[in-house]
Amino acid sequence: MEQRIEDGLSPYRVFPRQEWAARREDTPMTLTRGEIAELQAFNDQLSMKEVEEIYLPLSRLLSFYVGAMQELFRAMQRFLGTEDAKMPYIIGIGGSVAVGKSTTARVLQALLSRWPNTPKVDLITTDGFLLPNAVLEREGLMEKKGFPESYDTETLLRFLTDIKGGYRPVRAPVYSHLVYDVIPGESVEVDRPDILIVEGLNVLQTGQLPKDGKVIPYVSDFFDFSVYIDAEEEVLRRWYVDRFLTLRQTAFRDPKSYFHRYSKLDDKEAITTATSIWERINLINLRENILPTRRRAHLILKKADNHLVQEVALRKL
């Protein structure tokens, strides 16, 4: 965080890494080294120690929140005399491109699914709710893919409304990073999980308040808890370029890849191209749309340049 948030007026309590790690207490490690390796997203770094010191305490905290919500739901059932089905607890995870959102989401899904009160934990990304490339090209938005205006917000809000409304099953569209587009006719089924994790760039964003007084829902309105993953701009730029260089040698070589043309670049050309994309698109999106939502999160994970979380800021109750 460029501006620290530990002053007396801050709504957050800031924990240095070791102080946060102590919050694990006697929480057992339920993941093996092999499982952790499989959960690690492309070009990210994840170790057993990182899971033990950062994500186990976070899963313990979230289990408290979920348990309290479940107890409140049962109390409301008794109060109202209803038999409504339990609604999923929704966790939002936001942050910049290349910051490690996917790894965090998958690790939390795996850990939370092993807690007694949350046996079913589903995960979706908002990539599936991007407008198809054909629409983005027609509207002149391909250079703003990942910006708020590039999403089918109406469909995403309807999906979250159905989840909270208890409909089953609910389907979400699927996105392919290989072809860089939404896959027509494909969907993933979400059938009333105990927890639903929603991961994406702009999940914490709001919009302008309506002048006519009409209610406009935002994606973040549906979250019971939210996490923002933070890192300095220069660190994010380096991670993005490193990821681009690695993809040039792997996924971009697939002739079906949307970015296959980049596989033929030499090192200097690849670094120049990746830096240009970062500065022209991702950095602007970070500054204008993503970073301003940081303080809306319930919890902020601040990463150092070695990909390790060095500080955790938790919103005070």
Side-chain angles (χ1 to χ4, degrees):
M1 295 153 254
E2 289 84 355
Q3 296 180 341
R4 296 181 66 82
I5 53 178
E6 57 190 1
D7 56 88
L9 298 178
S10 170
Y12 292 93
R13 177 176 174 184
V14 178
F15 296 87
R17 182 184 179 94
Q18 292 307 314
E19 186 180 349
W20 177 258
R23 267 59 193 174
R24 172 191 174 181
E25 295 190 356
D26 58 351
T27 305
M29 169 55 81
T30 54
L31 299 177
T32 66
R33 291 186 185 278
E35 288 173 322
I36 290 173
E38 291 179 0
L39 293 170
Q40 179 176 318
F42 182 81
N43 218 43
D44 201 357
Q45 296 182 25
L46 184 67
S47 66
M48 177 70 77
K49 184 177 182 181
E50 184 77 350
V51 174
E52 290 176 340
E53 294 187 353
I54 301 300
Y55 296 107
L56 265 180
L58 179 52
S59 75
R60 179 171 180 254
L61 173 69
L62 287 169
S63 75
F64 292 155
Y65 275 91
V66 174
M69 183 65 77
Q70 290 173 344
E71 183 56 39
L72 175 61
F73 178 79
R74 288 189 288 268
M76 287 296 293
Q77 278 186 314
R78 293 191 294 269
F79 178 77
L80 298 173
T82 63
E83 295 183 357
D84 294 335
K86 173 170 58 67
M87 297 299 101
Y89 189 92
I90 302 183
I91 299 171
I93 298 179
S96 171
V97 169
V99 78
K101 298 183 300 299
S102 297
T103 294
T104 295
R106 289 200 284 260
V107 171
L108 286 180
Q109 180 186 26
L111 289 171
L112 289 168
S113 65
R114 288 160 168 79
W115 281 91
N117 61 338
T118 57
K120 191 173 191 295
V121 184
D122 285 349
L123 166 64
I124 67 157
T125 73
T126 57
D127 291 345
F129 295 93
L130 283 162
L131 292 168
N133 286 356
V135 176
L136 294 175
E137 289 171 352
R138 185 175 68 241
E139 300 296 328
L141 292 173
M142 280 300 288
E143 281 280 299
K144 289 200 169 184
K145 195 166 188 177
F147 284 60
E149 57 265 38
S150 67
Y151 289 89
D152 184 353
T153 305
E154 181 179 346
T155 299
L156 176 54
L157 288 172
R158 185 165 59 247
F159 168 82
L160 292 171
T161 298
D162 289 346
I163 291 290
K164 279 296 189 183
Y167 293 97
R168 55 185 309 185
V170 182
R171 295 187 175 277
V174 175
Y175 185 84
S176 167
H177 288 278
L178 179 66
V179 300
Y180 196 57
D181 203 355
V182 179
I183 304 177
E186 280 202 31
S187 63
V188 60
E189 183 176 287
V190 180
D191 190 8
R192 200 177 289 173
D194 296 285
I195 295 177
L196 175 64
I197 299 173
V198 180
E199 176 253 303
L201 292 171
N202 292 295
V203 293
L204 299 179
Q205 193 180 39
T206 61
Q208 296 294 324
L209 293 175
K211 295 182 179 180
D212 57 7
K214 293 182 180 180
V215 176
I216 299 178
Y218 306 115
V219 172
S220 57
D221 290 341
F222 295 87
F223 296 159
D224 299 293
F225 194 92
S226 54
V227 178
Y228 184 95
I229 308 174
D230 195 24
E232 301 294 338
E233 284 184 3
E234 177 56 27
V235 171
L236 290 168
R237 182 198 63 79
R238 189 164 63 252
W239 290 349
Y240 178 79
V241 172
D242 288 345
R243 186 174 74 174
F244 187 95
L245 292 174
T246 304
L247 286 168
R248 180 192 51 150
Q249 300 293 335
T250 54
F252 290 174
R253 290 190 171 184
D254 188 330
K256 297 178 182 177
S257 172
Y258 180 86
F259 299 104
H260 180 62
R261 62 191 181 278
Y262 294 141
S263 66
K264 299 176 175 58
L265 300 177
D266 60 31
D267 287 351
K268 183 178 179 180
E269 291 171 332
I271 291 172
T272 299
T273 300
T275 302
S276 174
I277 294 172
W278 170 260
E279 293 177 349
R280 193 175 71 249
I281 300 174
N282 296 313
L283 181 58
I284 294 174
N285 195 17
L286 173 64
R287 289 177 174 174
E288 294 183 356
N289 302 307
I290 302 170
L291 188 59
T293 69
R294 181 176 57 192
R295 284 196 174 218
R296 301 193 69 246
H298 293 92
L299 183 135
I300 303 170
L301 298 175
K302 178 61 182 286
K303 287 188 171 184
D305 57 4
N306 59 2
H307 292 268
L308 302 181
V309 175
Q310 63 179 4
E311 191 174 81
V312 179
L314 176 64
R315 184 176 290 276
K316 301 171 184 175
L317 291 177

